[in-house]
């Protein structure tokens, strides 16, 4: 605790400040998407809303910090990503997140987000029922550090090794779809929303988790990779859809994930609300301007169709929203 409070007294590192501001200004789609989970409980809970947004901001910030650190040759993101775990584990001591990161001080920003999340978790009525599963998924988010390895061979070996350790056995999803699913916070968001329900049961927890992980999580990760593929190629960044054998396989694989995610969402208690979230996530990614270039527009149409009528309905709404908030390329 003293370590991070000492950092809060230092002058904020300009690079860390830049990364934090970039996440706020250019990843609003993610924060607004997280806030949508606030609509799942029967009654609105302001503590849940604060938790969802703050938690998403942690993920977005760490994605920027990890990518920059990896580019500078620092590939150990373990300590940095402990923030994802500790934000929803109020009994765990707060770590020195920047212990192995080239940055030195963020003015206490990251730890303030962590504390905000911890305080909100403690007042959600059913948090004890979702806690163990949510924390397990947060531990799996350590895979985010591997996503930014700059050596593609080492990266693929590390991702495969991670899946073998964390998710052994047979799965309907492919290995890179599983690691991609762990790279998305949707399952945790859904569990936190369930924690706001006083009458939440363990069977509810199990059903929601099984629908979101891997299906909704994997679908969003692959859609994100799909719309960013040109940018990733140009920058030499990791592309999840590049793990498919070829472009046709990638298109079919993403279509299957979107269909499965939509079906799983509708099957849950409160299915219409979960279906709105699934359709909104698909529409959010597919409304990005890069999805409508000449080379992708035909495939984008098939992915929209895979999301069903609700995705088609929401797509123009999300395109207008992107334009209004200057998020067209984000």
């Amino acid at each position: 605790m003293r370590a991070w409070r000492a950092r809060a007294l230092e002058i904020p590192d300009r690079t860390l400040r830049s990364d934090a501001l970039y996440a706020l200004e250019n990843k609003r789609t993610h924060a607004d998407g997280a806030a949508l989970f606030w609509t799942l409980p029967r009654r609105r809970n302001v503590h849940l809303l604060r938790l969802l947004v703050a938690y998403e901001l942690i993920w977005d910030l760490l994605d920027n910090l990890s990518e920059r650190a990896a580019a500078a040759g620092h590939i150990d993101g373990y300590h940095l990503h402990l923030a994802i775990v500790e934000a929803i584990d109020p009994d765990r001591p707060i770590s020195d997140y920047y212990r192995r990161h080239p940055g030195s001080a963020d003015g206490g920003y990251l730890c303030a987000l962590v504390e905000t999340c911890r305080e909100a978790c403690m007042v959600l009525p059913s948090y004890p029922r979702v806690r163990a599963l949510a924390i397990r998924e947060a531990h799996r988010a350590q895979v985010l550090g591997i996503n930014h390895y700059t050596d593609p061979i080492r990266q693929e070996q590390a991702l495969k090794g991670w899946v073998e350790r964390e998710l052994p056995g047979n799965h309907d999803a492919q290995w890179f779809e599983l690691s991609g699913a762990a790279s998305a916070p949707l399952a945790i968001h859904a569990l936190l929303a369930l924690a706001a329900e006083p009458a939440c049961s363990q069977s509810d927890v199990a059903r929601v988790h099984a629908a979101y992980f891997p299906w909704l999580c994997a679908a969003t990760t692959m859609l994100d990779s799909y719309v960013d593929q040109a940018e990733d190629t140009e920058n030499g960044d990791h592309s999840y859809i590049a793990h498919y054998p070829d472009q046709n396989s990638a298109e079919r694989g993403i279509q299957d994930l979107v269909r499965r995610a939509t079906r799983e969402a509708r099957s849950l208690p409160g299915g219409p609300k979960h279906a709105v979230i699934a359709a909104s996530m698909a529409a959010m990614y597919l409304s990005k301007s890069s999805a409508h270039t000449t080379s992708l527009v035909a495939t984008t149409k098939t992915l929209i169709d895979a999301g069903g009528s609700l995705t088609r309905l929401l797509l123009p709404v999300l395109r207008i929203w992107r334009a209004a908030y200057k998020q067209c390329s984000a």
Side-chain angles (χ1 to χ4, degrees), residues 19-258:
D19 284 332
L21 290 174
Y22 180 87
L24 289 170
E25 294 170 2
N26 296 280
K27 295 190 176 183
R28 179 166 180 161
T29 50
H30 297 176
D32 282 20
L36 188 59
F37 284 80
W38 185 51
T39 65
L40 288 178
R42 293 178 181 86
R43 293 184 177 180
R44 301 292 183 263
N45 185 315
V46 68
H47 300 291
L48 173 62
L49 179 60
R50 187 176 295 116
L51 169 60
L52 291 167
V53 174
Y55 197 54
E56 180 61 42
L57 290 177
I58 291 173
W59 281 68
D60 292 341
L61 173 63
L62 296 191
D63 185 54
N64 287 356
L65 295 179
S66 184
E67 184 175 7
R68 188 187 296 274
H74 301 269
I75 61 173
D76 183 2
Y78 172 77
H79 290 89
L80 193 62
H81 287 92
L82 284 174
I84 289 176
V85 178
E86 293 171 3
I88 57 172
D89 190 357
D91 293 335
R92 181 170 175 151
I94 289 182
S95 301
D96 181 358
Y97 304 128
Y98 296 107
R99 179 178 172 185
R100 295 190 177 180
H101 188 274
S104 60
D106 67 358
Y109 178 64
L110 177 54
C111 285
L113 289 174
V114 169
E115 291 282 21
T116 297
C117 293
R118 289 156 73 102
E119 291 169 4
C121 284
M122 289 189 288
V123 298
L124 296 182
S126 292
Y127 186 70
R129 295 190 181 94
V130 309
R131 177 174 181 159
L133 195 52
I135 291 173
R136 189 186 76 181
E137 293 308 317
H139 275 288
R140 285 178 174 169
Q142 297 289 333
V143 75
L144 288 165
I146 302 175
N147 287 344
H148 294 303
Y149 282 14
T150 55
D151 182 340
I153 297 177
R154 182 179 183 184
Q155 182 186 68
E156 181 163 317
Q157 291 173 342
L159 286 173
K160 285 182 177 179
W162 181 90
V163 172
E164 290 172 359
R165 291 191 308 274
E166 296 292 330
L167 297 161
N170 296 321
H171 299 275
D172 292 340
Q174 299 191 63
W175 70 265
F176 53 88
E177 294 171 341
L178 292 172
S179 64
S183 302
L186 271 69
I188 302 176
H189 290 334
L191 291 172
L192 295 176
L194 203 55
E197 293 279 18
C200 162
S201 69
Q202 288 304 135
S203 63
D204 292 334
V205 173
R207 287 186 65 184
V208 167
H209 177 259
Y212 277 84
F213 189 89
W215 305 114
L216 273 82
C217 290
T220 56
T221 296
M222 292 302 170
L223 285 170
D224 186 24
S225 183
Y226 166 76
V227 299
D228 286 348
Q229 58 185 298
E231 181 181 349
D232 289 340
T233 299
E234 181 180 350
N235 296 334
D237 294 335
H238 175 231
S239 172
Y240 260 110
I241 67 168
H243 292 290
Y244 287 103
D246 51 56
Q247 192 69 19
N248 288 335
S249 298
E251 293 169 7
R252 290 195 302 271
I254 300 171
Q255 287 178 46
D256 290 344
L257 286 173
V258 172

